[in-house]
Amino acid sequence: MTKFNLVYQDLKTKIDNGLYAKDSLLPSENQLRELYGASRDTIRRALLRLKDEGYVQSQQGKGTTVINRQQYVFPVSGVLSYKELSTRMNMNSRTVLVDKQPMTLPTTPFVSIDPDVHAMPVLRLTRLRRINEEPVIIDIDYIDRAVVPDISQTVAEDSLYAYFEQTLHLAIAYAKKEFTVEHATEQDQQLLGLTPTDAVAVVRSIAYLEDTTAFQYTESRHRPDRFRFQEFARRS
Amino acid sequence: MTKFNLVYQDLKTKIDNGLYAKDSLLPSENQLRELYGASRDTIRRALLRLKDEGYVQSQQGKGTTVINRQQYVFPVSGVLSYKELSTRMNMNSRTVLVDKQPMTLPTTPFVSIDPDVHAMPVLRLTRLRRINEEPVIIDIDYIDRAVVPDISQTVAEDSLYAYFEQTLHLAIAYAKKEFTVEHATEQDQQLLGLTPTDAVAVVRSIAYLEDTTAFQYTESRHRPDRFRFQEFARRS
DNA sequence: TAGTGGTCTAGACCACTAC
DNA sequence: TAGTGGTCTAGACCACTAA
């Protein structure tokens, strides 16, 4: 753990727990410098990250104000796996592997995210996510077989990311996502209990490793009445 | 313009124009330091921003790779006004003010974004956005009358943000957004040409000033078949 | 081994706020 | 005027990659 990460984590925890309350000022950068025994630059890097994530807002001459503690309205944002999200939110969640199939990657659904997608051997996993026993999401993953040879049912129903990172030691760096609203397919209707006139919220994403290799293509189909996604953004 | 911003803008422009091609390496940080006559820290701050925005990816020992040039698939992400987006995308776009009404802010649609919303006198603007003469978005803005006393039809049909920033000199700092899928209301059906069974993609957002004041509440209702939103995210 | 990015430090000067 | 955050510098050491 790096020093600035320690500072970042500590401040974040204290904000989440209300130790630094919303609308109150954090200690000044100089005070934090003494508190953590770090240089001002290290403190500022931690604060920068908190600003980017929507935790705090700085004002020259005044100080740094807490504007938000973490919200978890099931953000589809960021690069967090379903497992990580459901654990954080203490959800009663269960995943069932519906289908596992080796095939060639269908590129068309992903070209608008990355024009360079190319056909490759993948493993397709179809999984149904339930929250409180109610089916809410169908996840269809296409995983590069050159990077991940196989995936067991146990892994598929627990956490792909934990397997990728902790067992295979893959370094997942970033992801691109796309949101659309589409008509419910027959599979959507069957698995999510929808009618032909219903819409679904579709999130397609491509995950990349540190060396910029794309290795995971996901199509996530959400029951429309359960879909809610929040985002924080800074101006210019 | 600050120095790091100059470096950032220059690199971004060169990436967008293909001068630094996708999948190629940028000059090393030391080379950039000499190119721009800046310290390494200044260079690194510019690069950090490019990384956060999904332009480049760094690898220790190797260098910094261009992974993407800017895409504009009408991102609802970020804090960009409709006017800014449509200009960048060279769209044939037109906005019509449908209704202007002083009233009290309806808080319920926004509580899940910011639990501290409170009733206040606002001006409600209802605007219809057309692209190639086709109606695609209804924007319903509630604007704090204490911050913005009035808005002319001309401003409403051009750009609110240009008016806020350039005329009123408001410093818009950040925004929180929420995406949902909802049934088409009667107004949606009439203005967007939808049927009662159709869904709409709804983006609700709250914009905040530098002093953390919330001053603009927006409900943006999109024709589902025209809605497409892209996002870039880094892992932890 | 040389070159790359990642982390950290100490110090300087500036713009802004509050008193 | 004192204290705050914003920008910028110069230098150090480390971890990693590639030849």
Side-chain angles (χ1 to χ4, degrees):
Chain A
M1 186 75 106
T2 60
K3 202 164 191 176
F4 104 88
N5 212 341
L6 276 171
V7 177
Y8 161 75
Q9 295 291 349
D10 191 62
L11 289 173
K12 189 160 74 108
T13 306
K14 285 177 175 161
I15 291 170
D16 281 338
N17 295 341
L19 253 102
Y20 293 132
K22 194 184 169 198
D23 297 325
S24 71
L25 287 175
L26 286 187
S28 75
E29 292 179 355
N30 267 319
Q31 290 169 328
L32 291 173
R33 196 174 46 70
E34 291 189 3
L35 268 172
Y36 292 102
S39 71
R40 187 172 165 220
D41 197 63
T42 301
I43 298 296
R44 280 181 65 79
R45 273 197 294 149
L47 289 176
L48 179 64
R49 188 144 162 201
L50 291 171
K51 287 175 212 171
D52 283 344
E53 294 178 352
Y55 278 95
V56 301
Q57 166 73 2
S58 295
Q59 290 168 266
Q60 213 172 28
K62 280 183 129 173
T64 300
T65 311
V66 177
I67 56 177
N68 210 12
R69 57 171 101 175
Q70 189 63 296
Q71 295 182 18
Y72 292 117
V73 187
F74 210 81
V76 189
S77 173
V79 189
L80 277 180
S81 70
Y82 179 88
K83 177 72 176 179
E84 289 165 320
L85 284 173
S86 61
T87 303
R88 278 204 199 176
M89 297 172 74
N90 298 313
M91 294 190 315
N92 173 14
S93 164
R94 199 159 57 87
T95 300
V96 175
L97 179 62
V98 175
D99 183 56
K100 182 171 112 175
Q101 188 77 27
M103 61 185 300
T104 302
L105 176 69
T107 55
T108 29
F110 296 100
V111 282
S112 61
I113 306 183
D114 188 339
D116 299 338
V117 238
H118 53 277
M120 63 175 85
V122 292
L123 192 64
R124 184 187 68 188
L125 301 181
T126 306
R127 296 179 293 168
L128 181 63
R129 317 278 204 177
R130 289 170 201 270
I131 298 174
N132 298 325
E133 298 308 317
E134 182 190 49
V136 288
I137 304 172
I138 302 171
D139 269 356
I140 305 164
D141 283 275
Y142 304 92
I143 296 154
D144 188 344
R145 301 198 67 182
V147 179
V148 182
D150 192 24
I151 288 171
S152 71
Q153 182 178 347
T154 315
V155 164
E157 297 187 341
D158 185 28
S159 171
L160 287 186
Y161 270 35
Y163 177 64
F164 293 159
E165 294 186 323
Q166 286 154 37
T167 306
L168 301 184
H169 300 290
L170 297 176
I172 301 162
Y174 56 94
K176 298 186 206 170
K177 307 207 167 195
E178 182 179 274
F179 297 70
T180 52
V181 177
E182 302 180 10
H183 292 294
T185 63
E186 282 201 10
Q187 190 182 45
D188 296 335
Q189 295 167 39
Q190 285 170 13
L191 296 180
L192 300 178
L194 300 175
T195 69
T197 57
D198 279 323
V200 286
V202 180
V203 184
R204 292 196 181 79
S205 69
I206 307 180
Y208 301 79
L209 302 177
E210 270 186 354
D211 66 359
T212 75
T213 315
F215 84 107
Q216 183 195 22
Y217 301 76
T218 305
E219 181 173 315
S220 202
R221 308 180 68 87
H222 297 244
R223 251 187 63 175
D225 53 340
R226 291 288 178 272
F227 180 77
R228 182 183 297 269
F229 157 60
Q230 293 192 348
E231 195 202 28
F232 175 88
R234 293 204 161 266
R235 172 114 173 120
S236 84
Chain B
M1 189 73 107
T2 59
K3 201 164 190 175
F4 103 90
N5 212 342
L6 276 171
V7 176
Y8 161 75
Q9 294 291 349
D10 191 63
L11 289 173
K12 187 160 75 109
T13 306
K14 285 176 175 160
I15 292 170
D16 281 338
N17 295 342
L19 253 104
Y20 293 131
K22 195 185 168 197
D23 297 325
S24 71
L25 286 176
L26 287 187
S28 75
E29 293 179 354
N30 268 320
Q31 289 169 328
L32 291 173
R33 196 173 46 72
E34 291 188 5
L35 267 172
Y36 292 102
S39 71
R40 188 174 165 220
D41 197 64
T42 301
I43 298 295
R44 280 181 65 79
R45 273 196 296 149
L47 289 176
L48 179 62
R49 186 144 163 202
L50 292 171
K51 288 176 211 170
D52 283 344
E53 294 178 353
Y55 277 94
V56 301
Q57 166 73 3
S58 295
Q59 290 168 266
Q60 213 172 28
K62 281 182 130 173
T64 301
T65 311
V66 177
I67 56 176
N68 209 11
R69 57 171 100 173
Q70 190 62 298
Q71 295 183 17
Y72 293 117
V73 187
F74 210 80
V76 189
S77 173
V79 189
L80 277 179
S81 71
Y82 179 88
K83 178 72 175 180
E84 288 166 320
L85 284 173
S86 61
T87 303
R88 280 205 198 172
M89 296 173 74
N90 298 315
M91 295 190 314
N92 173 13
S93 164
R94 199 158 57 87
T95 300
V96 175
L97 179 62
V98 175
D99 183 56
K100 182 170 110 174
Q101 187 78 27
M103 60 187 300
T104 302
L105 176 69
T107 54
T108 30
F110 297 99
V111 282
S112 62
I113 306 182
D114 187 338
D116 298 338
V117 238
H118 53 276
M120 65 174 83
V122 292
L123 193 64
R124 184 187 68 189
L125 301 180
T126 306
R127 297 179 293 168
L128 182 63
R129 318 279 206 178
R130 287 170 203 273
I131 298 174
N132 299 325
E133 298 308 317
E134 183 189 48
V136 288
I137 304 172
I138 303 171
D139 269 355
I140 305 166
D141 283 276
Y142 304 91
I143 297 153
D144 188 344
R145 302 197 67 184
V147 178
V148 182
D150 193 24
I151 288 171
S152 72
Q153 183 179 347
T154 315
V155 164
E157 296 186 342
D158 185 28
S159 171
L160 287 187
Y161 270 35
Y163 177 65
F164 293 160
E165 294 186 324
Q166 287 154 37
T167 306
L168 301 184
H169 300 289
L170 297 176
I172 301 163
Y174 57 94
K176 298 185 207 171
K177 308 208 169 197
E178 181 179 274
F179 297 70
T180 52
V181 176
E182 302 180 11
H183 292 295
T185 62
E186 282 201 8
Q187 190 181 47
D188 295 336
Q189 295 167 40
Q190 286 172 12
L191 296 179
L192 300 177
L194 300 176
T195 68
T197 58
D198 278 324
V200 286
V202 179
V203 184
R204 292 196 181 81
S205 69
I206 306 180
Y208 299 80
L209 302 177
E210 270 186 354
D211 65 0
T212 75
T213 316
F215 84 107
Q216 185 194 22
Y217 301 76
T218 305
E219 181 171 313
S220 202
R221 308 181 67 88
H222 297 244
R223 250 187 63 174
D225 53 339
R226 292 289 177 273
F227 180 77
R228 184 182 296 269
F229 156 59
Q230 293 191 349
E231 194 202 29
F232 175 88
R234 295 203 159 267
R235 172 116 171 119
S236 79

